[in-house]
């Protein structure tokens, strides 16, 4: 069969169209935390997305395993919370992976915290203060408005790295934003009764959640951020709990439950494990169901 020049041009155009249409399938995303793996998948459903951690792991403490190094070596885009959450392990991964594409935020490195106003920023930090972050609280994914800002910035980063798929990224962002903005008032209506409620919790893991819903964390199970509960500290929390205004004791899916349970047994307060991220319990399979699950667990005991 003879193939004329017009046929070759048509075949070439079809092939180019195929490559452009499948471009974001080639985008390889390394997410530091599962919430950013989930967000990346919303914005680029055909991309290869890998999460370096699970909701059952403390994202402050991660080992630079060979498997993580290999995944980062293949990445076009690394998406992390930032605000120094990953300072203890991400630089080591970057060094060992030797992937220049993801060494700088000018290229394929993305920090969510750099695109919003973080809570609890500190001018000065020293070791005596425990595990605190001068750049602010990095657990920003429990603020729906801030997460939407991150989604917008992340979509722009994906477009920068993969301009051939710009239309696709814009459409995916629009679809996610529309669905997310519809969900926010529904969550707020369901959680209305939580406003003013007081809790005891670990660390400041749910700082953004409490700020959004108008809740207050009146005490920390840790004597200092990152320091395990001591007997003397827990005894003080028993006294605080006896004031009668605490709704519940909370801990996350990766935190040790022993201190929370010890306190719960001595105060008769409910002890609730909240999923810290996607996959933190059976109900939190994506960002939407994560919010659904957390709010449902809290409203059951309000």
């Amino acid at each position: 069969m003879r193939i004329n020049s017009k046929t070759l041009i048509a075949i070439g155009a079809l092939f180019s169209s195929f490559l452009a249409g499948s471009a974001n399938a080639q985008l390889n995303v390394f997410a530091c935390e599962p919430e950013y793996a989930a967000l990346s998948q919303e914005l680029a459903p055909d991309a290869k997305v890998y999460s370096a951690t699970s909701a059952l792991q403390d994202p402050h403490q991660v080992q630079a395993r060979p498997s993580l190094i290999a995944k980062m070596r293949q990445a076009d885009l690394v998406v992390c919370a930032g605000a120094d959450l990953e300072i203890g392990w991400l630089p080591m991964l970057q060094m060992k992976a030797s992937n220049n594409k993801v060494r700088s935020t000018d290229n394929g490195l993305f920090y969510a915290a750099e695109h919003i106003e973080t809570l609890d920023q500190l001018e000065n930090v020293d070791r005596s203060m425990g595990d605190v972050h001068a750049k602010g609280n990095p657990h920003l994914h429990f603020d729906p408005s801030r997460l939407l800002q991150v989604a917008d910035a992340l979509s722009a980063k994906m477009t920068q790295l993969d301009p051939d798929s710009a239309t696709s990224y814009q459409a995916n962002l629009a679809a996610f934003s529309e669905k997310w903005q519809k969900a926010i008032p529904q969550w707020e209506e369901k959680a209305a009764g939580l406003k003013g409620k007081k809790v005891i919790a670990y660390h400041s893991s749910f700082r953004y959640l409490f700020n959004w819903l108008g809740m207050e964390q009146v005490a920390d199970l840790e004597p200092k951020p990152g320091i395990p509960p001591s007997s003397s500290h827990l005894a003080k929390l028993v006294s605080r709990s006896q004031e009668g205004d605490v709704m519940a004791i909370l801990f996350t899916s990766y935190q040790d439950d022993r201190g929370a349970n010890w306190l719960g047994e001595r105060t008769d307060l409910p002890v609730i494990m909240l999923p810290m991220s996607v996959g933190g319990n059976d109900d939190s399979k994506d960002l939407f169901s994560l919010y659904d699950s957390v709010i449902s667990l809290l409203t059951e005991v309000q």
Side-chain angles (χ1 to χ4, degrees):
M1 180 180 70
R2 293 180 63 187
I3 300 177
N4 60 33
S5 58
K6 290 185 178 179
T7 302
L8 288 173
I9 291 172
I11 292 173
L14 182 63
F15 184 67
S16 296
S17 176
F18 169 78
L19 288 179
S22 62
N24 71 13
Q26 303 304 313
L27 192 65
N28 200 317
V29 181
F30 179 106
C32 291
E33 295 85 25
E35 59 266 25
Y36 295 112
L39 182 60
S40 297
Q41 206 76 76
E42 292 278 357
L43 301 177
D46 296 323
K48 297 178 182 178
V49 180
Y50 173 80
S51 180
T53 60
S54 77
L56 306 181
Q57 290 177 271
D58 185 345
H60 297 84
Q61 301 174 6
V62 177
Q63 293 183 341
R65 303 188 307 274
S67 59
L68 294 186
I69 296 168
K71 290 292 185 180
M72 182 167 282
R73 189 171 290 139
Q74 300 165 3
D76 303 304
L77 171 62
V78 169
V79 184
C80 301
D84 290 340
L85 176 63
E86 304 91 0
I87 193 66
W89 55 275
L90 183 60
M92 179 66 70
L93 273 183
Q94 290 173 310
M95 182 185 72
K96 292 190 174 183
S98 298
N99 182 352
N100 289 331
K101 291 189 294 183
V102 296
R103 295 294 293 270
S104 168
T105 53
D106 291 335
N107 298 314
L109 179 60
F110 180 91
Y111 288 127
E114 292 186 356
H115 300 277
I116 58 104
E117 182 71 22
T118 56
L119 298 175
D120 304 331
Q121 296 182 34
L122 300 169
E123 290 187 6
N124 298 296
V125 171
D126 60 58
R127 291 181 180 274
S128 68
M129 300 168 69
D131 185 11
V132 296
H133 303 274
K135 296 179 181 179
N137 190 308
H139 307 294
L140 58 95
H141 61 287
F142 274 116
D143 183 314
S145 297
R146 283 178 166 90
L147 191 63
L148 201 54
Q149 290 178 254
V150 172
D152 187 70
L154 182 54
S155 179
K157 173 61 73 173
M158 290 175 168
T159 300
Q160 173 193 330
L161 299 176
D162 181 19
D164 289 341
S165 297
T167 301
S168 177
Y169 295 132
Q170 290 167 2
N172 294 332
L173 173 64
F176 172 76
S177 298
E178 182 180 5
K179 185 179 177 183
W180 192 254
Q181 288 173 322
K182 285 182 179 178
I184 292 174
Q186 295 172 4
W187 289 323
E188 291 176 342
E189 181 180 2
K190 185 176 181 180
L194 294 171
K195 188 174 183 179
K197 298 295 183 180
K198 299 178 180 180
V199 296
I200 294 173
Y202 268 107
H203 207 57
S204 53
S205 304
F206 294 103
R207 173 74 169 92
Y208 290 90
L209 178 72
F210 299 153
N211 183 68
W212 169 42
L213 298 180
M215 299 175 66
E216 181 183 356
Q217 181 176 335
V218 297
D220 193 329
L221 284 157
E222 300 171 325
K224 289 184 180 181
I227 307 299
S230 62
S231 298
S232 60
H233 180 67
L234 288 172
K236 292 178 182 177
L237 296 184
V238 172
S239 298
R240 175 63 186 85
S241 302
Q242 290 172 343
E243 294 182 25
D245 59 348
V246 176
M247 181 186 81
I249 301 163
L250 310 178
F251 68 100
T252 73
S253 45
Y254 63 77
Q255 289 164 339
D256 193 332
D257 64 355
R258 288 176 294 181
N261 287 330
W262 184 94
L263 184 59
E265 290 170 2
R266 286 156 180 79
T267 60
D268 290 326
L269 288 171
V271 178
I272 308 172
M273 190 282 285
L274 296 181
M276 186 60 195
S277 188
V278 175
N281 63 10
D282 292 340
D283 297 325
S284 54
K285 301 184 185 304
D286 58 19
L287 290 167
F288 292 91
S289 56
L290 172 65
Y291 272 60
D292 289 337
S293 178
V294 167
I295 291 174
S296 292
L297 288 166
L298 289 171
T299 54
E300 285 171 5
V301 297
Q302 70 181 48

